[in-house]
Amino acid sequence: MKKLVVLTGAGISAESGLKTFRDSNGLWEGHNVMDVASPEGWQRNPELVLDFYNQRRRQLHEVSPNAGHLALAALETHFEVHIITQNVDNLHERAGSSRVLHLHGELLKVRSTQHEHAVLDWSGDLNLGDTDARGHQLRPHIVWFGEAVPALEQALELTRAADIFAVIGTSLQVYPAAGLIEYTRGHIPIFYIDPHPAQLPYLGNPVTVIAEAATTGVAKMHEQIMLLLG
């Protein structure tokens, strides 16, 4: 099977009703991003940070995967699909995708403030006083601004090995994720699905832009890939 590597961003989750921080009514509205998504913000006001992510977690339980998520999962019938996502929700997994790498952490997981590899599944609210087995406070399992991206090296390896690379629902403004496309091999086809696609860097690859939402664009990408492969 050909290896199809897909980078997804906030746009595909927005189609399920999850707010994104780039929208005018986005989830950062009313909050300075550094107050709720940085180690410094956590040190200043952990209750604010916990409440912020508790609200996000509650909202996640109210939405479902959309046609874009489902179409990506269905592609596993024809390709070895690897999804690299900037999103912290679990909509890809709920749609049936079996290989999902989260660059920026996961909303339904928490980790110890003292032992970063002590990660727990967590579906409800997280509060001050919730601790790991050693008594250390738990925090959201989210990569905050200024923190390292532990999954980046694995994402780079997947990108370098891709036979086909796709970018879906992202404006390619958030690094290091936005730079992954530059690590694709020079001859492989690249697909870019977004209603308002950004200007891609010149890579020398054959690029197909589908200026649509993921809910319709993924199916069109599938058709075009099948035509390419004959």
Side-chain angles (χ1 to χ4, degrees):
M1 280 187 169
K2 295 284 188 182
K3 184 174 290 188
L4 169 60
V5 178
V6 183
L7 173 65
T8 65
I12 191 169
S13 293
E15 292 179 60
S16 285
L18 287 178
K19 295 178 181 178
T20 73
F21 73 90
R22 293 189 183 279
D23 290 340
S24 59
N25 295 316
L27 59 82
W28 308 114
E29 188 170 316
H31 294 287
N32 181 314
V33 67
M34 300 308 288
D35 287 339
V36 294
S38 73
E40 296 78 14
W42 171 256
Q43 291 299 322
R44 281 194 303 270
N45 193 342
E47 287 184 304
L48 173 67
V49 175
L50 291 174
D51 179 64
F52 179 81
Y53 289 100
N54 286 342
Q55 290 183 45
R56 308 282 77 74
R57 207 174 291 111
R58 291 172 207 151
Q59 186 191 29
L60 178 55
H61 292 313
E62 297 173 355
V63 301
S64 300
N66 61 56
H69 295 107
L70 295 169
L72 285 174
L75 286 173
E76 293 191 9
T77 303
H78 304 285
F79 306 97
E80 179 187 327
V81 181
H82 293 265
I83 295 174
I84 303 168
T85 187
Q86 299 174 77
N87 302 329
V88 296
D89 58 68
N90 66 343
L91 294 176
H92 283 301
E93 290 91 340
R94 285 164 58 188
S97 289
S98 61
R99 304 176 192 90
V100 183
L101 180 66
H102 287 268
L103 280 179
H104 297 156
E106 298 180 61
L107 196 54
L108 296 185
K109 292 185 178 180
V110 298
R111 71 172 186 259
S112 170
T113 50
Q114 298 298 316
H115 305 280
E116 65 180 55
H117 298 298
V119 179
L120 303 171
D121 293 328
W122 202 273
S123 60
D125 284 359
L126 178 65
N127 301 300
L128 284 181
D130 291 329
T131 62
D132 65 11
R134 301 181 187 181
H136 300 296
Q137 175 67 40
L138 295 167
R139 55 159 277 184
H141 184 49
I142 303 292
V143 177
W144 288 330
F145 289 96
E147 294 185 324
V149 181
L152 181 59
E153 190 55 45
Q154 187 180 350
L156 288 169
E157 290 176 7
L158 288 171
T159 301
R160 293 187 186 108
D163 297 308
I164 306 163
F165 191 80
V167 177
I168 301 175
T170 173
S171 58
L172 294 173
Q173 298 297 310
V174 178
Y175 283 82
L180 285 174
I181 194 171
E182 298 177 29
Y183 289 84
T184 55
R185 289 178 291 164
H187 62 283
I188 71 164
I190 292 176
F191 290 83
Y192 184 17
I193 302 171
D194 194 271
H196 308 287
Q199 182 68 42
L200 294 178
Y202 176 74
L203 302 166
N205 300 63
V207 176
T208 301
V209 177
I210 301 173
E212 297 185 21
T215 46
T216 57
V218 176
K220 292 189 176 180
M221 177 182 74
H222 187 186
E223 293 174 1
Q224 295 192 35
I225 292 175
M226 299 310 286
L227 287 173
L228 276 177
L229 298 180

